[in-house]
mmCIF file of all heavy atoms in Angstrom:
data_model
loop_
_atom_site.group_PDB
_atom_site.id
_atom_site.type_symbol
_atom_site.label_atom_id
_atom_site.label_comp_id
_atom_site.label_asym_id
_atom_site.label_seq_id
_atom_site.Cartn_x
_atom_site.Cartn_y
_atom_site.Cartn_z
ATOM 1 N N ASP A 511 -4.540 28.507 5.112
ATOM 2 C CA ASP A 511 -4.469 28.782 3.736
ATOM 3 C C ASP A 511 -4.470 27.625 2.857
ATOM 4 O O ASP A 511 -4.842 27.745 1.711
ATOM 5 C CB ASP A 511 -3.160 29.651 3.504
ATOM 6 C CG ASP A 511 -3.171 31.007 4.237
ATOM 7 O OD1 ASP A 511 -4.115 31.777 4.183
ATOM 8 O OD2 ASP A 511 -2.171 31.267 4.971
ATOM 9 N N ASN A 512 -4.103 26.540 3.441
ATOM 10 C CA ASN A 512 -4.144 25.240 2.647
ATOM 11 C C ASN A 512 -4.196 24.053 3.721
ATOM 12 O O ASN A 512 -4.006 24.264 4.772
ATOM 13 C CB ASN A 512 -2.988 25.105 1.709
ATOM 14 C CG ASN A 512 -1.636 25.166 2.347
ATOM 15 O OD1 ASN A 512 -1.474 24.872 3.553
ATOM 16 N ND2 ASN A 512 -0.567 25.427 1.569
ATOM 17 N N CYS A 513 -4.367 22.903 3.108
ATOM 18 C CA CYS A 513 -4.476 21.672 3.870
ATOM 19 C C CYS A 513 -3.538 20.615 3.375
ATOM 20 O O CYS A 513 -3.591 20.448 2.080
ATOM 21 C CB CYS A 513 -5.945 21.239 4.009
ATOM 22 S SG CYS A 513 -6.196 19.778 4.819
ATOM 23 N N ILE A 514 -2.787 19.936 4.174
ATOM 24 C CA ILE A 514 -1.915 18.899 3.654
ATOM 25 C C ILE A 514 -2.203 17.642 4.547
ATOM 26 O O ILE A 514 -2.195 17.732 5.792
ATOM 27 C CB ILE A 514 -0.473 19.277 3.894
ATOM 28 C CG1 ILE A 514 -0.194 20.609 3.052
ATOM 29 C CG2 ILE A 514 0.436 18.150 3.399
ATOM 30 C CD1 ILE A 514 1.170 21.297 3.368
ATOM 31 N N VAL A 515 -2.461 16.520 3.898
ATOM 32 C CA VAL A 515 -2.712 15.317 4.542
ATOM 33 C C VAL A 515 -1.463 14.349 4.285
ATOM 34 O O VAL A 515 -1.124 14.046 3.172
ATOM 35 C CB VAL A 515 -3.952 14.627 4.004
ATOM 36 C CG1 VAL A 515 -4.226 13.292 4.801
ATOM 37 C CG2 VAL A 515 -5.138 15.491 4.090
ATOM 38 N N LEU A 516 -0.810 14.058 5.305
ATOM 39 C CA LEU A 516 0.505 13.293 5.294
ATOM 40 C C LEU A 516 0.353 11.804 5.245
ATOM 41 O O LEU A 516 1.027 11.138 6.058
ATOM 42 C CB LEU A 516 1.456 13.741 6.368
ATOM 43 C CG LEU A 516 1.792 15.215 6.501
ATOM 44 C CD1 LEU A 516 2.627 15.526 7.729
ATOM 45 C CD2 LEU A 516 2.546 15.647 5.238
ATOM 46 N N GLY A 517 -0.466 11.284 4.434
ATOM 47 C CA GLY A 517 -0.487 9.891 4.200
ATOM 48 C C GLY A 517 -1.500 9.034 5.081
ATOM 49 O O GLY A 517 -2.061 9.617 6.012
ATOM 50 N N ASP A 518 -1.773 7.855 4.645
ATOM 51 C CA ASP A 518 -2.649 6.953 5.356
ATOM 52 C C ASP A 518 -4.068 7.419 5.421
ATOM 53 O O ASP A 518 -4.674 7.458 6.473
ATOM 54 C CB ASP A 518 -2.047 6.448 6.587
ATOM 55 C CG ASP A 518 -0.869 5.555 6.425
ATOM 56 O OD1 ASP A 518 -0.716 5.073 5.323
ATOM 57 O OD2 ASP A 518 -0.178 5.342 7.338
ATOM 58 N N PHE A 519 -4.563 8.113 4.390
ATOM 59 C CA PHE A 519 -5.899 8.668 4.375
ATOM 60 C C PHE A 519 -6.944 7.509 4.582
ATOM 61 O O PHE A 519 -7.802 7.638 5.407
ATOM 62 C CB PHE A 519 -6.106 9.384 3.031
ATOM 63 C CG PHE A 519 -7.417 10.161 2.893
ATOM 64 C CD1 PHE A 519 -7.567 11.333 3.670
ATOM 65 C CD2 PHE A 519 -8.343 9.784 1.997
ATOM 66 C CE1 PHE A 519 -8.813 12.020 3.481
ATOM 67 C CE2 PHE A 519 -9.559 10.532 1.841
ATOM 68 C CZ PHE A 519 -9.755 11.629 2.645
ATOM 69 N N TYR A 520 -6.729 6.491 3.739
ATOM 70 C CA TYR A 520 -7.572 5.230 3.910
ATOM 71 C C TYR A 520 -6.839 4.213 4.818
ATOM 72 O O TYR A 520 -5.577 4.347 4.935
ATOM 73 C CB TYR A 520 -7.895 4.617 2.631
ATOM 74 C CG TYR A 520 -8.952 5.487 1.815
ATOM 75 C CD1 TYR A 520 -8.546 6.139 0.630
ATOM 76 C CD2 TYR A 520 -10.236 5.608 2.229
ATOM 77 C CE1 TYR A 520 -9.408 6.875 -0.119
ATOM 78 C CE2 TYR A 520 -11.099 6.411 1.529
ATOM 79 C CZ TYR A 520 -10.779 7.074 0.416
ATOM 80 O OH TYR A 520 -11.659 7.834 -0.345
ATOM 81 N N ASN A 521 -7.532 3.239 5.283
ATOM 82 C CA ASN A 521 -6.860 2.207 6.146
ATOM 83 C C ASN A 521 -6.283 1.018 5.288
ATOM 84 O O ASN A 521 -5.578 0.229 5.841
ATOM 85 C CB ASN A 521 -7.820 1.780 7.212
ATOM 86 C CG ASN A 521 -7.199 0.974 8.284
ATOM 87 O OD1 ASN A 521 -6.091 1.432 8.776
ATOM 88 N ND2 ASN A 521 -7.687 -0.128 8.723
ATOM 89 N N LYS A 522 -6.791 0.862 4.078
ATOM 90 C CA LYS A 522 -6.358 -0.258 3.316
ATOM 91 C C LYS A 522 -6.263 0.104 1.847
ATOM 92 O O LYS A 522 -6.704 1.034 1.453
ATOM 93 C CB LYS A 522 -7.249 -1.465 3.513
ATOM 94 C CG LYS A 522 -8.714 -1.142 3.258
ATOM 95 C CD LYS A 522 -9.624 -2.263 3.801
ATOM 96 C CE LYS A 522 -11.113 -1.772 3.643
ATOM 97 N NZ LYS A 522 -11.901 -2.299 4.682
ATOM 98 N N ARG A 523 -5.529 -0.733 1.159
ATOM 99 C CA ARG A 523 -5.262 -0.444 -0.269
ATOM 100 C C ARG A 523 -6.554 -0.502 -1.143
ATOM 101 O O ARG A 523 -6.684 0.188 -2.139
ATOM 102 C CB ARG A 523 -4.230 -1.524 -0.838
ATOM 103 C CG ARG A 523 -2.908 -1.251 -0.253
ATOM 104 C CD ARG A 523 -1.943 -2.349 -0.692
ATOM 105 N NE ARG A 523 -0.621 -2.092 -0.296
ATOM 106 C CZ ARG A 523 -0.042 -2.215 0.844
ATOM 107 N NH1 ARG A 523 -0.795 -2.755 1.896
ATOM 108 N NH2 ARG A 523 1.246 -1.891 1.107
ATOM 109 N N HIS A 524 -7.518 -1.372 -0.793
ATOM 110 C CA HIS A 524 -8.750 -1.453 -1.597
ATOM 111 C C HIS A 524 -9.828 -1.085 -0.572
ATOM 112 O O HIS A 524 -10.373 -1.966 0.091
ATOM 113 C CB HIS A 524 -8.920 -2.825 -2.206
ATOM 114 C CG HIS A 524 -7.770 -3.179 -3.009
ATOM 115 N ND1 HIS A 524 -7.666 -2.716 -4.374
ATOM 116 C CD2 HIS A 524 -6.703 -4.030 -2.881
ATOM 117 C CE1 HIS A 524 -6.511 -3.115 -4.915
ATOM 118 N NE2 HIS A 524 -6.001 -3.941 -4.039
ATOM 119 N N SER A 525 -10.386 0.133 -0.679
ATOM 120 C CA SER A 525 -11.403 0.547 0.210
ATOM 121 C C SER A 525 -12.758 0.130 -0.225
ATOM 122 O O SER A 525 -13.018 -0.054 -1.460
ATOM 123 C CB SER A 525 -11.285 2.090 0.358
ATOM 124 O OG SER A 525 -10.093 2.504 0.922
ATOM 125 N N THR A 526 -13.735 0.110 0.646
ATOM 126 C CA THR A 526 -15.100 -0.209 0.369
ATOM 127 C C THR A 526 -15.765 1.054 -0.272
ATOM 128 O O THR A 526 -15.291 2.165 -0.090
ATOM 129 C CB THR A 526 -15.901 -0.644 1.623
ATOM 130 O OG1 THR A 526 -16.022 0.474 2.489
ATOM 131 C CG2 THR A 526 -15.179 -1.758 2.371
ATOM 132 N N PRO A 527 -16.916 0.775 -1.006
ATOM 133 C CA PRO A 527 -17.683 1.989 -1.482
ATOM 134 C C PRO A 527 -18.023 2.991 -0.437
ATOM 135 O O PRO A 527 -17.936 4.220 -0.662
ATOM 136 C CB PRO A 527 -18.878 1.328 -2.121
ATOM 137 C CG PRO A 527 -18.411 -0.080 -2.478
ATOM 138 C CD PRO A 527 -17.496 -0.438 -1.413
ATOM 139 N N LEU A 528 -18.416 2.589 0.864
ATOM 140 C CA LEU A 528 -18.725 3.452 1.876
ATOM 141 C C LEU A 528 -17.510 4.289 2.329
ATOM 142 O O LEU A 528 -17.616 5.497 2.483
ATOM 143 C CB LEU A 528 -19.340 2.669 3.070
ATOM 144 C CG LEU A 528 -19.744 3.536 4.297
ATOM 145 C CD1 LEU A 528 -20.808 4.517 3.910
ATOM 146 C CD2 LEU A 528 -20.188 2.667 5.359
ATOM 147 N N GLU A 529 -16.333 3.699 2.340
ATOM 148 C CA GLU A 529 -15.148 4.364 2.723
ATOM 149 C C GLU A 529 -14.761 5.376 1.669
ATOM 150 O O GLU A 529 -14.352 6.480 1.963
ATOM 151 C CB GLU A 529 -13.970 3.346 2.951
ATOM 152 C CG GLU A 529 -14.266 2.512 4.151
ATOM 153 C CD GLU A 529 -13.420 1.203 4.191
ATOM 154 O OE1 GLU A 529 -12.716 0.900 3.223
ATOM 155 O OE2 GLU A 529 -13.510 0.470 5.252
ATOM 156 N N ILE A 530 -14.844 5.002 0.387
ATOM 157 C CA ILE A 530 -14.520 5.817 -0.704
ATOM 158 C C ILE A 530 -15.526 7.015 -0.733
ATOM 159 O O ILE A 530 -15.077 8.229 -0.887
ATOM 160 C CB ILE A 530 -14.528 5.105 -2.001
ATOM 161 C CG1 ILE A 530 -13.369 4.187 -2.098
ATOM 162 C CG2 ILE A 530 -14.542 6.083 -3.195
ATOM 163 C CD1 ILE A 530 -13.458 3.152 -3.214
ATOM 164 N N SER A 531 -16.740 6.822 -0.500
ATOM 165 C CA SER A 531 -17.797 7.872 -0.407
ATOM 166 C C SER A 531 -17.462 8.851 0.660
ATOM 167 O O SER A 531 -17.596 10.089 0.457
ATOM 168 C CB SER A 531 -19.180 7.231 -0.205
ATOM 169 O OG SER A 531 -20.146 8.226 -0.125
ATOM 170 N N PHE A 532 -17.148 8.339 1.842
ATOM 171 C CA PHE A 532 -16.741 9.368 2.890
ATOM 172 C C PHE A 532 -15.542 10.051 2.614
ATOM 173 O O PHE A 532 -15.413 11.179 2.796
ATOM 174 C CB PHE A 532 -16.629 8.565 4.279
ATOM 175 C CG PHE A 532 -16.191 9.538 5.271
ATOM 176 C CD1 PHE A 532 -17.122 10.444 5.883
ATOM 177 C CD2 PHE A 532 -14.855 9.504 5.753
ATOM 178 C CE1 PHE A 532 -16.656 11.363 6.897
ATOM 179 C CE2 PHE A 532 -14.479 10.386 6.819
ATOM 180 C CZ PHE A 532 -15.346 11.298 7.293
ATOM 181 N N GLY A 533 -14.529 9.388 2.046
ATOM 182 C CA GLY A 533 -13.241 10.004 1.695
ATOM 183 C C GLY A 533 -13.436 11.171 0.655
ATOM 184 O O GLY A 533 -12.891 12.187 0.825
ATOM 185 N N THR A 534 -14.325 10.901 -0.303
ATOM 186 C CA THR A 534 -14.710 11.948 -1.285
ATOM 187 C C THR A 534 -15.409 13.083 -0.655
ATOM 188 O O THR A 534 -15.124 14.228 -0.882
ATOM 189 C CB THR A 534 -15.581 11.270 -2.371
ATOM 190 O OG1 THR A 534 -14.909 10.155 -2.974
ATOM 191 C CG2 THR A 534 -16.006 12.242 -3.426
ATOM 192 N N GLU A 535 -16.311 12.836 0.182
ATOM 193 C CA GLU A 535 -17.039 13.812 0.946
ATOM 194 C C GLU A 535 -16.092 14.661 1.735
ATOM 195 O O GLU A 535 -16.238 15.917 1.783
ATOM 196 C CB GLU A 535 -18.125 13.193 1.911
ATOM 197 C CG GLU A 535 -18.846 14.091 2.831
ATOM 198 C CD GLU A 535 -19.688 13.396 3.877
ATOM 199 O OE1 GLU A 535 -20.179 12.245 3.596
ATOM 200 O OE2 GLU A 535 -19.834 13.865 4.995
ATOM 201 N N MET A 536 -15.150 14.070 2.438
ATOM 202 C CA MET A 536 -14.211 14.807 3.226
ATOM 203 C C MET A 536 -13.331 15.759 2.442
ATOM 204 O O MET A 536 -13.098 16.916 2.729
ATOM 205 C CB MET A 536 -13.371 13.850 4.009
ATOM 206 C CG MET A 536 -12.415 14.466 4.975
ATOM 207 S SD MET A 536 -11.691 13.230 6.095
ATOM 208 C CE MET A 536 -11.200 14.317 7.491
ATOM 209 N N ILE A 537 -12.772 15.133 1.264
ATOM 210 C CA ILE A 537 -11.966 16.050 0.437
ATOM 211 C C ILE A 537 -12.766 17.191 -0.182
ATOM 212 O O ILE A 537 -12.283 18.285 -0.245
ATOM 213 C CB ILE A 537 -11.258 15.163 -0.663
ATOM 214 C CG1 ILE A 537 -10.344 14.233 -0.087
ATOM 215 C CG2 ILE A 537 -10.636 16.042 -1.744
ATOM 216 C CD1 ILE A 537 -9.198 14.842 0.703
ATOM 217 N N VAL A 538 -13.974 16.971 -0.513
ATOM 218 C CA VAL A 538 -14.810 18.071 -1.130
ATOM 219 C C VAL A 538 -15.039 19.142 -0.076
ATOM 220 O O VAL A 538 -14.860 20.305 -0.343
ATOM 221 C CB VAL A 538 -16.137 17.501 -1.706
ATOM 222 C CG1 VAL A 538 -17.121 18.652 -1.828
ATOM 223 C CG2 VAL A 538 -15.972 16.640 -2.857
ATOM 224 N N LYS A 539 -15.275 18.793 1.237
ATOM 225 C CA LYS A 539 -15.381 19.806 2.233
ATOM 226 C C LYS A 539 -14.038 20.543 2.460
ATOM 227 O O LYS A 539 -14.132 21.713 2.742
ATOM 228 C CB LYS A 539 -15.931 19.162 3.452
ATOM 229 C CG LYS A 539 -17.384 18.812 3.389
ATOM 230 C CD LYS A 539 -17.968 18.133 4.640
ATOM 231 C CE LYS A 539 -19.407 17.715 4.459
ATOM 232 N NZ LYS A 539 -20.016 17.200 5.636
ATOM 233 N N LEU A 540 -12.987 19.691 2.552
ATOM 234 C CA LEU A 540 -11.687 20.416 2.719
ATOM 235 C C LEU A 540 -11.346 21.339 1.611
ATOM 236 O O LEU A 540 -10.885 22.406 1.820
ATOM 237 C CB LEU A 540 -10.519 19.325 2.954
ATOM 238 C CG LEU A 540 -10.579 18.472 4.203
ATOM 239 C CD1 LEU A 540 -9.640 17.368 4.118
ATOM 240 C CD2 LEU A 540 -10.365 19.382 5.372
ATOM 241 N N LEU A 541 -11.611 20.955 0.396
ATOM 242 C CA LEU A 541 -11.343 21.878 -0.802
ATOM 243 C C LEU A 541 -12.257 23.050 -0.717
ATOM 244 O O LEU A 541 -11.720 24.208 -0.992
ATOM 245 C CB LEU A 541 -11.638 21.075 -2.058
ATOM 246 C CG LEU A 541 -10.608 20.101 -2.615
ATOM 247 C CD1 LEU A 541 -11.100 19.240 -3.530
ATOM 248 C CD2 LEU A 541 -9.342 20.886 -3.045
ATOM 249 N N SER A 542 -13.500 22.962 -0.292
ATOM 250 C CA SER A 542 -14.352 24.080 -0.168
ATOM 251 C C SER A 542 -13.980 25.075 0.927
ATOM 252 O O SER A 542 -14.173 26.310 0.819
ATOM 253 C CB SER A 542 -15.834 23.749 -0.115
ATOM 254 O OG SER A 542 -16.145 23.115 1.092
ATOM 255 N N THR A 543 -13.401 24.456 1.954
ATOM 256 C CA THR A 543 -12.902 25.328 3.099
ATOM 257 C C THR A 543 -11.547 25.953 2.841
ATOM 258 O O THR A 543 -11.361 27.170 3.055
ATOM 259 C CB THR A 543 -12.860 24.413 4.386
ATOM 260 O OG1 THR A 543 -14.130 23.856 4.576
ATOM 261 C CG2 THR A 543 -12.435 25.366 5.592
ATOM 262 N N TYR A 544 -10.638 25.191 2.263
ATOM 263 C CA TYR A 544 -9.178 25.720 2.213
ATOM 264 C C TYR A 544 -8.724 25.915 0.777
ATOM 265 O O TYR A 544 -7.653 26.489 0.638
ATOM 266 C CB TYR A 544 -8.245 24.641 2.861
ATOM 267 C CG TYR A 544 -8.622 24.478 4.326
ATOM 268 C CD1 TYR A 544 -9.149 23.237 4.807
ATOM 269 C CD2 TYR A 544 -8.345 25.481 5.233
ATOM 270 C CE1 TYR A 544 -9.500 23.166 6.161
ATOM 271 C CE2 TYR A 544 -8.729 25.369 6.558
ATOM 272 C CZ TYR A 544 -9.243 24.146 7.029
ATOM 273 O OH TYR A 544 -9.611 24.090 8.320
ATOM 274 N N GLY A 545 -9.449 25.421 -0.137
ATOM 275 C CA GLY A 545 -9.151 25.735 -1.615
ATOM 276 C C GLY A 545 -8.035 24.856 -2.128
ATOM 277 O O GLY A 545 -8.116 24.332 -3.160
ATOM 278 N N ASN A 546 -6.960 24.687 -1.352
ATOM 279 C CA ASN A 546 -5.879 23.881 -1.812
ATOM 280 C C ASN A 546 -5.692 22.712 -0.778
ATOM 281 O O ASN A 546 -5.408 22.921 0.385
ATOM 282 C CB ASN A 546 -4.562 24.726 -1.887
ATOM 283 C CG ASN A 546 -3.397 23.932 -2.414
ATOM 284 O OD1 ASN A 546 -3.537 22.874 -2.949
ATOM 285 N ND2 ASN A 546 -2.205 24.492 -2.110
ATOM 286 N N VAL A 547 -5.807 21.566 -1.348
ATOM 287 C CA VAL A 547 -5.657 20.263 -0.448
ATOM 288 C C VAL A 547 -4.600 19.441 -1.200
ATOM 289 O O VAL A 547 -4.802 19.101 -2.378
ATOM 290 C CB VAL A 547 -6.916 19.559 -0.270
ATOM 291 C CG1 VAL A 547 -6.732 18.325 0.490
ATOM 292 C CG2 VAL A 547 -7.927 20.452 0.516
ATOM 293 N N SER A 548 -3.571 19.058 -0.433
ATOM 294 C CA SER A 548 -2.549 18.101 -0.965
ATOM 295 C C SER A 548 -2.513 16.884 -0.111
ATOM 296 O O SER A 548 -2.627 16.943 1.119
ATOM 297 C CB SER A 548 -1.200 18.751 -0.872
ATOM 298 O OG SER A 548 -1.144 19.935 -1.681
ATOM 299 N N LEU A 549 -2.388 15.793 -0.753
ATOM 300 C CA LEU A 549 -2.291 14.479 -0.027
ATOM 301 C C LEU A 549 -1.007 13.740 -0.498
ATOM 302 O O LEU A 549 -0.736 13.704 -1.682
ATOM 303 C CB LEU A 549 -3.539 13.569 -0.429
ATOM 304 C CG LEU A 549 -4.828 13.956 0.197
ATOM 305 C CD1 LEU A 549 -5.521 14.758 -0.860
ATOM 306 C CD2 LEU A 549 -5.663 12.825 0.521
ATOM 307 N N LEU A 550 -0.303 13.229 0.485
ATOM 308 C CA LEU A 550 0.856 12.337 0.221
ATOM 309 C C LEU A 550 0.377 10.905 0.363
ATOM 310 O O LEU A 550 -0.343 10.577 1.247
ATOM 311 C CB LEU A 550 1.938 12.668 1.294
ATOM 312 C CG LEU A 550 2.796 13.866 0.910
ATOM 313 C CD1 LEU A 550 2.031 15.138 1.115
ATOM 314 C CD2 LEU A 550 4.021 13.807 1.758
ATOM 315 N N THR A 551 0.814 10.047 -0.582
ATOM 316 C CA THR A 551 0.497 8.714 -0.541
ATOM 317 C C THR A 551 1.175 8.081 0.688
ATOM 318 O O THR A 551 2.386 8.161 0.813
ATOM 319 C CB THR A 551 0.907 8.029 -1.845
ATOM 320 O OG1 THR A 551 0.358 8.686 -2.911
ATOM 321 C CG2 THR A 551 0.602 6.540 -1.852
ATOM 322 N N GLY A 552 0.470 7.349 1.461
ATOM 323 C CA GLY A 552 1.101 6.631 2.601
ATOM 324 C C GLY A 552 1.154 5.185 2.246
ATOM 325 O O GLY A 552 0.851 4.781 1.186
#
């Protein structure tokens, strides 16, 4: 019914454009699948 990511989504504090692009793609897919996605800052 929902998706929760418990931190450390990225590997470093300042991600590269490729890493940000993939992270964005991943969240968009999770949102379209589960509707509700929560992330905790790691």
Side-chain angles (χ1 to χ4, degrees):
D511 300 306
N512 62 19
C513 177
I514 302 169
V515 182
L516 298 176
D518 293 344
F519 188 69
Y520 289 113
N521 195 44
K522 54 192 171 216
R523 289 174 171 83
H524 300 285
S525 299
T526 68
L528 182 59
E529 293 161 354
I530 292 170
S531 176
F532 176 73
T534 301
E535 173 188 330
M536 185 170 204
I537 292 300
V538 167
K539 287 182 181 178
L540 291 170
L541 283 164
S542 69
T543 302
Y544 300 109
N546 182 18
V547 176
S548 300
L549 291 94
L550 279 70
T551 303

